[in-house]
Amino acid sequence: MDVLEQLAELKVRALGELADIDDARELESWRVCYLGKKSRLTAVLRNLGELPLSEKKSVGAGANRLRVELESNLEQKKRALREAKLASSVQKEGLDISLPGYPFPVGRLHPVTQTIHKINDIFTSMGFQVVEGPEVEWDYYNFEALNIPEEHPARDTMATLWIDYEKDSNQRQMLLRTHTSPMQIRFMEKVRPPLRIVVPGKVYRYEATDATHIPMFHQIEGLAVDEGITMADLKGTLYEFSRRFFGKDRKVRFRCDYFPFVEPGVEMAIECAVCKGEGCRLCGSSGWIEILGAGMVHPEVLRRVGIDPEVYTGFAFGMGIERIPMLRYGIDDIRLFYSSDLRFLRQF
Ligand code: DAH
């Protein structure tokens, strides 16, 4: 029998056996037997080179044709087995595969939370630790310990929501924190330098609501205390933050500012994204957008928590969170963040 006759016989046998197969395991042994590495067909194809030229062509073509045919029959059989299995489970279990599936709602984080996460990531990569503090605070931490005593005019800049609760034995009064700075004090009372923290969280002010004011918003505070920290560390850290958050081409500007708990104090502004410094409506024609307050921790603040300002120095900063996505996406009303309108929230 020559090779072509052998192949013809092989085909009859293979297709005959295939017709009787009715489960996946048998099908796999069939495949190994007729199409596998050790199959007769593979051997024929492998040994083509040894045939005389006259036979090589016809045997090669015939063997390849047979391979394609067996493969396509195999696929058909696989499909048929799958369908039969499904049909039997529909019968057995009453499974109706035409029913729509369960909806799978995909949630997302609030744009403010997303912004906080992004800022946290940048600072943790620079060795800062993320900590959180209480939203209900004593006036001592919110004001006194930050060099803002009772009659200090800085109190007027932060309209405070006081809590109607008796003073404690130290004559401390409760309030909703007006900024995240009190966590500077709480953390330094417990942890000795070197320390580096960022504190994201909610803050509250007793203010009438409008497009740029709401009684609750978010801030993130930063604090680094160690031996030999200088203004250069403050600027370097905040430059790096701006580079990573706003991109390397945004210019950054520092100017003097006053905050009772730092000395010297600065404000940091970034170049306006809309007009690139030319001046437009968004930046109030100045070309700059202020994003945070910062400074070198006041020696008195360090002394109050028992850290020697002759040995240690530090820097601190605080920024409002909502402003950042507002500037970035051109959102012109802060109330949108908290009106729970999914049409707005789904865009982030
Ligand atoms: N707590 C200040 C505010 O809410 C912002 C601030 C300014 C925080 C300067 C700081 C700082 O840590 O050093 O207006």
Side-chain angles (χ1 to χ4, degrees):
M1 200 168 17
D2 70 7
V3 184
L4 279 174
E5 279 168 358
Q6 283 176 20
L7 288 177
E9 196 194 62
L10 196 65
K11 175 175 161 176
V12 174
R13 190 148 33 97
L15 293 181
E17 280 177 27
L18 185 65
D20 292 336
I21 287 178
D22 55 14
D23 79 51
R25 184 123 43 89
E26 280 175 53
L27 189 62
E28 177 57 13
S29 1
W30 180 91
R31 187 194 64 78
V32 172
C33 172
Y34 290 103
L35 287 162
K37 275 198 202 101
K38 294 190 181 134
S39 67
R40 175 82 189 111
L41 183 58
T42 304
V44 169
L45 284 164
R46 196 175 294 140
N47 300 329
L48 274 182
E50 288 157 24
L51 292 175
L53 202 58
S54 56
E55 279 180 51
K56 207 186 274 182
K57 235 177 154 180
S58 56
V59 171
N64 267 318
R65 224 180 302 118
L66 178 58
R67 195 187 52 187
V68 171
E69 195 174 344
L70 292 185
E71 278 170 356
S72 92
N73 276 281
L74 172 69
E75 284 312 311
Q76 264 174 32
K77 189 75 185 185
K78 264 192 199 160
R79 218 173 311 127
L81 289 181
R82 246 193 327 256
E83 277 160 20
K85 194 168 162 196
L86 201 59
S88 91
S89 56
V90 169
Q91 245 181 8
K92 268 201 298 236
E93 303 163 24
L95 176 72
D96 181 354
I97 55 165
S98 68
L99 281 177
Y102 293 107
F104 190 76
V106 179
R108 48 164 60 61
L109 294 173
H110 191 278
V112 168
T113 310
Q114 289 182 32
T115 309
I116 291 174
H117 285 184
K118 213 167 148 196
I119 298 173
N120 285 350
D121 281 351
I122 294 173
F123 283 103
T124 49
S125 80
M126 291 195 267
F128 284 72
Q129 176 187 351
V130 180
V131 295
E132 289 180 314
E135 291 167 26
V136 177
E137 192 45 287
W138 296 109
D139 60 351
Y140 173 76
Y141 290 104
N142 198 82
F143 293 127
E144 262 95 336
L146 292 163
N147 293 341
I148 314 173
E150 207 162 330
E151 299 306 325
H152 197 286
R155 288 212 180 184
D156 296 339
T157 64
M158 295 182 178
T160 307
L161 287 152
W162 294 95
I163 286 176
D164 202 2
Y165 187 79
E166 276 173 42
K167 291 184 180 175
D168 77 342
S169 53
N170 296 320
Q171 293 300 299
R172 295 175 181 189
Q173 210 163 356
M174 260 190 221
L175 47 75
L176 293 180
R177 66 178 177 190
T178 59
H179 51 176
T180 42
S181 306
M183 252 321 261
Q184 292 189 26
I185 308 298
R186 285 185 177 272
F187 197 77
M188 286 191 290
E189 278 182 347
K190 294 222 171 71
V191 181
R192 298 289 93 182
L195 56 91
R196 275 176 285 181
I197 54 167
V198 283
V199 189
K202 291 184 168 69
V203 301
Y204 301 83
R205 306 238 176 134
Y206 181 52
E207 274 169 354
T209 301
D210 64 26
T212 51
H213 296 88
I214 38 173
M216 182 287 301
F217 56 99
H218 292 76
Q219 287 188 340
I220 189 161
E221 191 80 12
L223 174 71
V225 181
D226 198 353
E227 284 178 52
I229 288 200
T230 70
M231 193 85 184
D233 298 303
L234 181 163
K235 291 179 77 176
T237 306
L238 293 176
Y239 269 131
E240 177 61 9
F241 163 70
S242 168
R243 196 184 67 77
R244 303 255 290 268
F245 194 91
F246 296 104
K248 65 176 173 24
D249 299 324
R250 271 310 181 92
K251 290 204 186 94
V252 172
R253 180 189 76 180
F254 287 93
R255 291 203 306 194
C256 293
D257 202 344
Y258 171 72
F259 302 98
F261 41 94
V262 287
E263 177 59 33
V266 293
E267 55 134 74
M268 186 176 105
I270 51 160
E271 196 180 29
C272 176
V274 172
C275 62
K276 298 274 178 300
E278 292 287 309
C280 68
R281 235 180 45 149
L282 183 68
C283 57
S285 30
S286 72
W288 296 97
I289 287 170
E290 286 153 26
I291 59 160
L292 60 84
M296 299 304 292
V297 180
H298 198 290
E300 201 52 48
V301 170
L302 293 175
R303 214 169 281 131
R304 204 170 280 123
V305 292
I307 294 175
D308 184 353
E310 297 300 325
V311 180
Y312 292 104
T313 49
F315 68 79
F317 60 88
M319 70 182 121
I321 309 268
E322 281 82 353
R323 253 172 93 73
I324 293 175
M326 284 177 83
L327 291 169
R328 177 151 175 191
Y329 300 113
I331 299 163
D332 56 9
D333 193 330
I334 192 169
R335 290 170 291 195
L336 285 167
F337 286 118
Y338 303 110
S339 54
S340 302
D341 186 338
L342 290 179
R343 289 169 306 177
F344 170 76
L345 295 172
R346 280 198 177 116
Q347 298 176 72
F348 303 95

